[in-house]
Amino acid sequence: MNKVIDGEMGLDSFSFSSQNKDLAEVEIAKYPEGRKASAVMPLLELAQRQNGGWLSRAAMDYVAETLDMPFIKVYEVATFYTMYNLKKVGKFHVQVCTNLPCWLRGSDQVVDACKNQLNISFGETSEDAMFTLTEVECLGACVNAPMMQVNDDYYEDLNEVSTKSILSELASGNSPKPGSQIDRKSCEPIGGLTSLIQQSKEAIESK
Amino acid sequence: MPSIKINGRDIEVEEGLTVLQACEEAGVEIPRFCYHERLSIAGNCRMCLVEMEPSPKPIASCAMPINDGMVIHTDTDLVKKAREGVMEFLLINHPLDCPICDQGGECDLQDQAMGYGLDKSRFLESKRAVKNKYLGPLVSTIMTRCIHCTRCIRFAQEIAGVPELGATGRGENMEVGTYVEKALSSELSGNLVDLCPVGALTSKPYEFKARSWELVKTQSIDVFDAMGSNIRIDSRGSEVMRVLPRINNSINEEWISDKTRHACDGLGRQRLDRPYVRRNGKLEEESWDGVLSVIAEKMINTSPKRMAAIAGDLVDCESLVSLKDLMQTLGCNNLDCRQDSGAFGNPRSSYIFNSGIKGIDRADVILLIGCNPRWEAPVLNARIRKQYLNGAIIGVIGPEFDLTFPFEHLSPDLKEIKNMLEHPSEFSDKLAKARRPMLVLGSGALAREDGEAILGAARDLAERVNIVNSEWNGFNVLQRAASRVGGLDLGFVPKTNKDLGTREILRAAEKKEIDVIYLLGSDEIEMDRLGDAFVIYQGHHGDAGAHRADAILPGAAYTEKNGTYVNLEGRCQRALRAVFPPGEAKEDWAIIRALSERIGKKLPFDNLLQVRERMSEVNPIFSNVNKISEASWGEFGSRGEIKDSEFIQPIENFYMTDVISRASATMAECTEVALAKKEKAA
């Protein structure tokens, strides 16, 4: 987990779009008067989305000003959480989990597939600015390990082939189906149900 | 009062204390890094672990409030083992560079490692290394040494009021810094160095200069503002190496301003180390004998009406009383210790900070008139900020400054005082309803031509809104010259209306009505208005005064003499001599005493003790050392018109206000950084 603290800065001006301004107001309204600073995390997320997946310094400063916080307090939050990117990321931010369950289920192959297909290593962005590859800690989808996250979507039950196909589909502008790549339903056992079979049948019939 | 048991001893302690504070009261020392009594509690260093029955795990004593019946052990095996564990973790990433570390010898980590450290490391992996940060010209950083106690972060945010420091990153990658590189914009940044329990933040100007155990420590009083901050001067041989604060809860708590701390390198530059006399337009070196004869002859042959004396801002009371006595025995009453001609009244309460600095801690509404306490007395400003955080309401009349806390800006115009007097406003209602309202009147406002009227209006306002009553006097004048209150107490001012003060002396000198002007450390007056008078300059630095002088008497700076200073709240304090004056320079009162003998009007004192007796004779407050003498309320100021004239900021540059700081290279660097910052902002 090598979080880059020295961000790229980026001093171009930043301000919320009118839509995000409304969303920000909704977030701020959730907290009592004078406790605006509590909304810092959702606002940073809004800013990151609007800014193409990363937080420039201008974006962090803007959030700080919106919430009447000292700049450094926002920097502290933004550098603490790995979900905020302080460097430019590609159009697709590929985050591969390499924690124990994923590793046991073959995350090494997934990582290799990504590296070979995209021709980059962890922490790098492809030359065409399409892909950024990041190694991440557990994303909470261990049942369907190994897995990776691309922007907002989880791709699970990966192997070398499915990983490569997802990446090439993304590259060619298509949207591959998120979730399990071996057509398992949600996180049910791979070979179909093994317990509570009767109850589930009844449930289906009663519908 | 809750009663608790510490190491088998029952003690009663005040409610609301923490276990650590209770242990301290019981005389049990608890090791700590992050806890600091003047900062909020962080509880992140874990060094203060103690055992509390029946908790199975040790607790952090700094963050645990006491409860009646608590049983605490601080000397068990568990406690020792826990602290040793904490220490081992702290030392994992701490470099073993004590021999080249400036903190060596006065380092909390070093000291506590003696008590709780292992004799060898079990950590075989690589230590982490952290990039150093730039925090300005005063604080040097070696961030690899940082143990993340966050004292500096809390100080910057809570005391200094500049939330610019923070902890970025997480876990192993956590770093303390500003994230975006910049110098700290605080006049109190030097205190970070004192707060840092390790050698991560050290003093840049003092870097690699000396070891703490080779220094001679002398208790002294600061003269860069009128607060009279208690300081310790660390010297080696004839050189002042550094200045540190001493704890005095009534005055500076344990902070000092950056100028107090770092202007001391100016003491070694541009010094007047021998007498000079001007001949054919050029200053020539002269012996003491020679210079005293020249001056004596001049003074004997000049009519006392055509002589004058002005004293500067850094002068001690001993030399003030000597010069006053000398001039008055000659029959000259054209004396002034006010270079800026600031207005004052007859009762002492008209020129001091009546509530005392400690009184700020009790004030609930504070009205600042024509002052910028952040520059005129940074430590006092921090105290006002503390009171703001405690809920005080603050209003400002006069120019607006960033005071590190928000305030209601009532009006940029000082006429507002009269307005408030005549038509009660929203803010004057707040003052009137407050329990302990306070008014702080700046020296810049009093120095205007209409200073008397401002003083009078402020006085009347104070009476109108109950700032002054039988148990509380919140009428405060914020002086900024260390010598001012002492000078006024000694009567170093024109005796009658016919005698001349600084303003009139300059006017008269321009018209060539003054033939001899004695400048006692006075450099902040307009020298080109002195006409063709014979100027005697007595002081320690070659600045404006010496430049214009016809005869120079080399005196001693504040570190080089035993001096008495009265601070802005009227507290008489004694500074001790740390080093000797350079070259042939002498203590100032002795120079005046020698001169008086030459003139044939020998002053009746031969040693310091007798000078001080004479001071007590002039004003009994001088026998009341270290205490505040109560000042009675009375009538003062005029009822005249407050003019439209623009307010002139008395301090243009915080870092350079007097001869010492103007000669200091460190202060020059601070000025540059501050200017660059101002330009960038503009």
Side-chain angles (χ1 to χ4, degrees), chain A residues 1-3 5-7 9 57 60 70 72-73 75-76 79-82 86, chain B residues 131 153 157 163-171 173-175 177-180:
Chain A
M1 187 189 62
N2 284 317
K3 174 78 179 172
I5 289 182
D6 303 320
M9 297 306 177
R57 204 182 114 200
M60 292 189 277
I72 183 73
K73 295 284 152 203
Y75 304 152
E76 283 181 327
T79 55
F80 186 86
Y81 293 98
T82 52
L86 301 177
Chain B
K131 244 199 206 160
I153 299 175
Q157 181 170 349
E164 291 169 1
L165 276 172
T168 51
R170 69 197 289 189
N173 297 311
M174 175 176 160
E175 290 185 16
T178 49
Y179 191 68
V180 179

